[in-house]
Amino acid sequence: MCGIVGAVSTRNIVPVLVQGLERLEYRGYDSCGVAVYAQDGTPGLRRARSTSRVAELMEQVAAGSVQGTLGIAHTRWATHGAPAVHNAHPHFSHGPGADVSGKPGRIALVHNGIIENHDELRAALQAKGYVFDSQTDTEVIAHLIDSLYDGDLFEAVKAATVQLHGAYAIAVFCKDEPHRLVGARAGSPLILGVGKDGQEHFLASDAMALAGVTDQIVYLEEGDLVDVQLGKYWLFDKAHKAVAPAQRPVKTVHAHSGAAELGPYRHYMQKEIFEQPRAIADTLEGVEGIAPELFDGQMNHAPGANAARVFAQIDSVLILACGTSYYSGCTAKYWIESIAKVPCQVEVASEYRYRDSVPNPNTLVVTITQSGETADTLAALRHAQSLGMKHTLTICNVATSAMVRECSLAYVTRAGVEIGVASTKAFTTQLAGLFLLTLCLAQAKSRLSDAEEARHLKAMRHLPTALQAVLALEPQVMAWAEDFARKENALFLGRGLHYPIALEGALKLKEISYIHAEAYPAGELKHGPLALVTSEMPVVTVAPNDALLEKLKSNLHEVRARGGVLYVLADGDTRIESGEGLHVIRMPEHYGELSPLLHVVPLQMLAYHTACARGTDVDKPRNLAKSVTVE
């Protein structure tokens, strides 16, 4: 979602700022901008903003000679106010009674998050004579800091944060202090980058923004403020007390640039679909046996027997996640209850903390997130912890994320950077991690025999090869996509373990092709969805050869009897044959409990090729963002 880059240096910092925005493009945005303190000509604030891509912003910067040694930059995903230039960040303050079309004021600011009390603050500032140029909650912060400024920017920011309710990460500078950058965070991530030889320092929402500039990173904690000046910085906690360096150590983080080479692929999503065999192999690298210690070794937590102790104590599992990660959790529920025999509940993170629930201190709270910065999931985790549920574990793709730091246990997947907004390899690696968790829980509860462990491990080691065989089905999936590209609605069906996979398939199609798609348990057809079935409503069915196959076949007959057209992903021995109104793609092999990892891949390819046929922006679908850092 929104991205922040800021810097104070002795060199022109604009190329670093804009390059940082390029590396954050994968997160999704609808406007971008950069502001600097310019010392040439008439010193003061200058900026460039665009509702196009960062490449267009670069052209503006070059044409306008925007240069400076102090600056901030931002990519915005609209919340308050439409995607328009006047709502784009950075925002400038305008003193009381100022003409907003005239010269900018003294404060420049960028912001991630949502300020919940912005209406009250706006009214109070307007009463003081401040004039607003945008509909954003962000401009409120800029004016608020301006109203509190009395020669010390840090003190003004500190006083302003006391009045802010909601989530924020901000980077701000003042034209009266041209070598100072101040940052603050509460509910949204912000990091400090320590430059080479300590001569320049950076602020960013993501370490990736600073890839190639510095790998020396300090992670700000909840409520932290940071005062950044040439060659030095100071950190303060939420109580505004100075923080010793040992409390916020500098970590070496090898972030990879989002500007990866596409190679032979048309889009990053296609590339990431085909990277799944490698991503699964990397995620499972070093797994020689089922051991709870797999979930012990992570940053800020010393390896040991902590996971084994926790797994032995817990008597239930609560999974918290959003979007695609939620569907991976729904899949894991079947595994955890059928293999480990542990009760499992899966909650949409954005709903969980807003309802009354019955906490159980012996519950293992499992969060699932690709970025590890998803605001709703982090808030749900903290809510669960506040209810006394202290056993926490995350399945996450980013080892340095807030989620990994805040959970006591973690399994860090190794999908690598995922640039396409529609998640693919992050989803399948999450499933791999969740299956390992299931086996570890089963072992801790003495519900996994040596023979069963060996069988499961053999199947997991074979996954990369099995996935390669599934990817070879792409030409058949492309033929389906030609049919789907002419439709406006689609229905996805699955049963049991594969119902969440049908949900994920429908989500992928709607995300990037903009075709309305819904998913149902196949047994629910006659309870409502069957009314929608016509020859114009393609019905995709996930049909593995499992215990529910015969029931599923009956559901398929219900669709055909109503003139519906079926598209079936079937295992080779299901005896479902192609015919009039029935299109079948045969999966290379039946894969038992791990079948969801294989069946989801053709659904990813179907969404991808349908979107290509319709000419949509595959990697950056409209209105969506990669990392959702606001509620």
Side-chain angles (χ1 to χ4, degrees):
M1 196 165 268
C2 303
I4 288 174
V5 193
V8 56
S9 179
T10 56
R11 58 170 167 154
N12 175 28
I13 210 66
V14 173
V16 172
L17 298 178
V18 176
Q19 186 179 63
L21 294 189
E22 283 188 300
R23 289 177 174 143
L24 296 179
E25 281 193 289
Y26 77 99
R27 296 163 70 106
Y29 65 102
D30 43 46
S31 64
C32 53
V34 59
V36 298
Y37 177 77
Q39 294 175 309
D40 61 321
T42 303
L45 305 186
R46 293 183 194 170
R47 70 181 169 191
R49 298 184 291 179
S50 173
T51 54
S52 185
R53 295 299 183 197
V54 172
E56 197 275 336
L57 179 69
M58 293 173 67
E59 294 176 3
Q60 279 195 51
V61 167
S65 298
V66 178
Q67 298 182 34
T69 57
L70 171 68
I72 50 179
H74 192 265
T75 51
R76 175 179 185 252
W77 186 82
T79 54
H80 297 72
V85 171
H86 69 277
N87 287 325
H89 300 212
H91 285 284
F92 290 159
S93 66
H94 304 288
D99 177 4
V100 297
S101 63
K103 293 182 179 179
R106 55 190 172 188
I107 301 296
L109 179 139
V110 291
H111 161 232
N112 288 353
I114 291 177
I115 303 304
E116 295 173 355
N117 62 332
H118 69 96
D119 282 334
E120 302 95 297
L121 293 171
R122 181 186 295 262
L125 289 162
Q126 285 173 329
K128 293 180 179 180
Y130 281 88
V131 179
F132 285 80
D133 188 34
S134 75
Q135 290 79 49
T136 67
D137 54 340
T138 301
E139 191 181 4
V140 171
I141 313 173
H143 291 329
L144 178 62
I145 293 171
D146 184 277
S147 73
L148 296 167
Y149 185 75
D150 189 24
D152 190 321
L153 180 63
F154 181 80
E155 290 300 320
V157 172
K158 184 170 69 173
T161 58
V162 174
Q163 299 185 42
L164 301 178
H165 300 161
Y168 58 83
I170 61 174
V172 55
F173 69 86
C174 176
K175 75 178 183 65
D176 296 336
E177 300 179 68
H179 299 293
R180 192 180 202 183
L181 180 65
V182 176
R185 65 149 297 189
S188 291
L190 191 67
I191 64 168
L192 168 70
V194 179
K196 296 176 182 177
D197 302 321
Q199 293 304 304
E200 58 184 10
H201 297 310
F202 308 88
L203 293 178
S205 52
D206 188 324
M208 187 182 295
L210 305 180
V213 178
T214 182
D215 59 2
Q216 300 300 292
I217 303 298
V218 177
Y219 288 91
L220 274 63
E221 299 295 334
E222 188 72 2
D224 278 359
L225 293 96
V226 59
D227 185 356
V228 184
Q229 299 184 35
L230 273 178
K232 52 193 173 183
Y233 64 86
W234 298 266
L235 283 162
F236 300 83
D237 64 18
K238 59 185 176 182
H240 299 163
K241 294 181 179 179
V243 175
Q247 294 176 272
R248 304 285 190 274
V250 177
K251 298 179 181 293
T252 300
V253 176
H254 299 293
H256 298 284
S257 168
E261 293 295 329
L262 272 173
Y265 302 102
R266 289 178 61 189
H267 299 93
Y268 284 109
M269 182 178 178
Q270 184 186 31
K271 178 176 184 283
E272 287 153 10
I273 289 171
F274 277 80
E275 285 177 341
Q276 287 176 110
R278 178 206 55 76
I280 292 290
D282 288 348
T283 295
L284 299 177
E285 185 180 4
V287 178
E288 301 297 333
I290 305 305
E293 287 77 13
L294 292 169
F295 297 86
D296 267 336
Q298 47 122 344
M299 61 182 296
N300 292 347
H301 299 281
N306 192 39
R309 177 185 57 80
V310 170
F311 293 167
Q313 287 181 357
I314 62 103
D315 57 20
S316 64
V317 173
L318 170 63
I319 295 176
L320 304 171
C322 301
T324 286
S325 296
Y326 172 75
Y327 296 145
S328 72
C330 291
T331 306
K333 174 182 172 71
Y334 287 91
W335 290 332
I336 291 168
E337 294 197 341
S338 65
I339 297 174
K341 309 298 183 187
V342 175
C344 180
Q345 184 178 1
V346 187
E347 296 258 9
V348 175
S350 59
E351 291 291 319
Y352 169 68
R353 70 188 180 110
Y354 294 112
R355 70 173 186 84
D356 292 331
S357 58
V358 181
N360 173 6
N362 294 324
T363 293
L364 177 65
V365 179
V366 177
T367 63
I368 312 170
T369 162
Q370 187 280 136
S371 68
E373 305 290 352
T374 307
D376 285 315
T377 309
L378 280 166
L381 168 69
R382 292 162 187 161
H383 177 66
Q385 290 170 326
S386 74
L387 295 176
M389 292 189 283
K390 303 302 183 184
H391 301 312
T392 58
L393 182 151
T394 189
I395 306 289
C396 181
N397 190 42
V398 182
T400 55
S401 65
M403 191 68 74
V404 172
R405 296 197 304 275
E406 294 190 26
C407 287
S408 55
L409 300 171
Y411 189 82
V412 178
T413 58
R414 296 173 65 188
V417 174
E418 190 178 62
I419 295 172
V421 166
S423 181
T424 53
K425 61 180 181 175
F427 177 74
T428 48
T429 54
Q430 285 172 354
L431 289 177
L434 287 162
F435 193 73
L436 278 175
L437 173 62
T438 298
L439 299 183
C440 286
L441 290 173
Q443 184 188 71
K445 303 295 183 184
S446 300
R447 290 161 190 160
L448 187 70
S449 69
D450 291 344
E452 289 170 327
E453 177 181 338
R455 177 175 65 84
H456 289 310
L457 284 171
K458 181 179 179 181
M460 294 196 80
R461 293 190 188 102
H462 183 59
L463 270 174
T465 301
L467 283 167
Q468 288 286 8
V470 175
L471 290 169
L473 300 173
E474 186 180 33
Q476 298 176 58
V477 177
M478 292 173 69
W480 282 14
E482 291 300 318
D483 293 344
F484 275 73
R486 297 188 292 271
K487 307 298 183 183
E488 294 301 325
N489 301 280
L491 191 63
F492 287 68
L493 302 176
R495 296 204 72 147
L497 186 62
H498 294 81
Y499 167 49
I501 300 307
L503 287 165
E504 173 64 6
L507 177 63
K508 284 290 156 287
L509 188 67
K510 72 182 76 169
E511 277 183 310
I512 61 171
S513 75
Y514 314 145
I515 293 172
H516 170 245
E518 294 186 62
Y520 285 90
E524 285 293 292
L525 262 179
K526 61 180 72 68
H527 297 287
L530 200 57
L532 298 172
V533 172
T534 70
S535 60
E536 290 302 305
M537 170 76 85
V539 180
V540 180
T541 307
V542 183
N545 188 10
D546 58 17
L548 291 170
L549 178 62
E550 294 307 317
K551 297 288 185 184
L552 184 61
K553 285 182 177 179
S554 297
N555 304 137
L556 301 187
H557 287 299
E558 293 169 1
V559 173
R560 289 297 301 121
R562 274 76 180 178
V565 180
L566 285 159
Y567 295 80
V568 183
L569 292 172
D571 286 343
D573 50 359
T574 54
R575 297 190 301 280
I576 300 175
E577 303 295 335
S578 296
E580 182 68 25
L582 177 59
H583 308 277
V584 179
I585 290 179
R586 299 204 175 280
M587 299 292 287
E589 57 184 306
H590 175 57
Y591 222 66
E593 293 95 341
L594 288 167
S595 175
L597 279 87
L598 303 190
H599 273 87
V600 76
V601 175
L603 299 182
Q604 295 169 348
M605 292 193 290
L606 175 62
Y608 171 74
H609 286 292
T610 301
C612 288
R614 288 170 69 96
T616 62
D617 190 341
V618 172
D619 288 330
K620 299 183 180 71
R622 67 189 183 203
N623 303 333
L624 299 179
K626 183 66 180 174
S627 179
V628 184
T629 55
V630 298
E631 287 190 67

